[in-house]
Amino acid sequence: MLDSVTHSTFLPNTSFCDPLMSWTDLFSNEEYYPAFEHQTGYSFFNDAEETKTAIKDYADSSCLKTSGMKSQDCHSRTSLQSSHLWEFVRDLLLSPEENCGILEWEDREQGIFRVVKSEALAKMWGQRKKNDRMTYEKLSRALRYYYKTGILERVDRRLVYKFGKNAHGWQEDKL
DNA sequence: GCCACTTTTCCTGCTT
DNA sequence: TAAGCAGGAAAAGTGG
């Protein structure tokens, strides 16, 4: 059930503040639990205690054990552990409260989005990859490579990109 | 070690 | 002039 729920969905105010924090770190830290209590994504749990339990169970499940997790298993599961740049961008877009205005949808239905804070995005990606020399110029070069594979489509506007036919998981009704 | 794939780095030229 | 985009080339990193 929780497989499609992103890390940032759980922790809207924490995940990108410390992108290197592990699931174990997050779930073992009681300070973060209150944040779940007000998330609409968890309205299906009766109360905060139930939410905690569900999350803890999920954190304890074998699929989230760091040692046993393969990149393929988790690449689409969480923004923090997405192995590919486009998934990182996608997950950031799917958590508008957490991306601090770095990315925003231009046309949600068509998958068109805009990079609002290019330097911040590059910095965030750099943190994700433990590369403090990352720049938006380099990041955008990587994004342009996705044109070839159909993951992104070209949009003739500055800082605007569009998810292509080979990108998945960005459509609201297919989450 | 090899290969495929993705990403990074650097570059030139063009556009806004 | 600066910032951003396009794309070539080479190299690094990673996983199978």
Side-chain angles (χ1 to χ4, degrees), chain A residues 13-51:
Chain A
N13 298 316
T14 61
S15 59
F16 293 106
C17 296
D18 187 356
L20 303 181
M21 186 177 281
S22 70
W23 279 96
T24 306
D25 292 338
L26 289 166
F27 287 119
S28 61
N29 189 340
E30 291 289 333
E31 289 179 16
Y32 294 112
Y33 287 144
F36 306 147
E37 298 173 13
H38 306 292
Q39 296 307 303
T40 54
Y42 279 86
S43 57
F44 46 81
F45 291 120
N46 292 330
D47 54 34
E49 196 57 42
E50 194 174 347
T51 302

Side-chain angles (χ1 to χ4, degrees), chain A residues 82-91 121 125 129 138-144 146:
Chain A
S82 296
S83 58
H84 297 153
L85 173 58
W86 76 270
E87 292 172 322
F88 173 79
V89 169
R90 176 200 64 191
D91 291 338
L121 178 64
W125 177 241
K129 298 295 289 287
K138 295 172 187 174
L139 185 151
S140 65
R141 181 69 189 98
L143 288 177
R144 289 195 296 274
Y146 289 132

Side-chain angles (χ1 to χ4, degrees), chain A residues 3 5 36 62 78 84 94 121 126 139 167 169:
Chain A
D3 275 9
V5 178
F36 306 147
S62 59
T78 77
H84 297 153
L94 294 177
L121 178 64
L139 185 151

Side-chain angles (χ1 to χ4, degrees), chain A residues 2-151:
Chain A
L2 295 174
D3 275 9
S4 62
V5 178
T6 66
H7 202 162
S8 51
T9 303
F10 281 128
L11 305 167
N13 298 316
T14 61
S15 59
F16 293 106
C17 296
D18 187 356
L20 303 181
M21 186 177 281
S22 70
W23 279 96
T24 306
D25 292 338
L26 289 166
F27 287 119
S28 61
N29 189 340
E30 291 289 333
E31 289 179 16
Y32 294 112
Y33 287 144
F36 306 147
E37 298 173 13
H38 306 292
Q39 296 307 303
T40 54
Y42 279 86
S43 57
F44 46 81
F45 291 120
N46 292 330
D47 54 34
E49 196 57 42
E50 194 174 347
T51 302
K52 282 185 189 180
T53 304
I55 291 170
K56 203 153 193 172
D57 286 346
Y58 183 55
D60 289 341
S61 67
S62 59
C63 67
L64 284 177
K65 296 293 185 186
T66 306
S67 59
M69 185 187 287
K70 295 177 180 178
S71 60
Q72 284 295 320
D73 295 335
C74 65
H75 80 282
S76 61
R77 181 160 294 144
T78 77
S79 60
L80 304 187
Q81 295 174 351
S82 296
S83 58
H84 297 153
L85 173 58
W86 76 270
E87 292 172 322
F88 173 79
V89 169
R90 176 200 64 191
D91 291 338
L92 206 51
L93 279 162
L94 294 177
S95 305
E97 314 84 12
E98 298 83 50
N99 73 31
C100 307
I102 291 171
L103 294 168
E104 67 179 30
W105 290 107
E106 288 264 309
D107 188 325
R108 180 72 173 79
E109 290 186 359
Q110 293 189 55
I112 299 172
F113 62 94
R114 184 162 59 96
V115 179
V116 180
K117 299 175 185 176
S118 56
E119 288 184 16
L121 178 64
K123 189 173 182 178
M124 194 174 281
W125 177 241
Q127 283 184 316
R128 170 72 177 79
K129 298 295 289 287
K130 299 181 174 65
N131 178 1
D132 55 8
R133 292 176 299 179
M134 180 53 59
T135 64
Y136 180 71
E137 187 179 355
K138 295 172 187 174
L139 185 151
S140 65
R141 181 69 189 98
L143 288 177
R144 289 195 296 274
Y145 268 117
Y146 289 132
Y147 295 153
K148 282 184 177 180
T149 57
I151 289 172

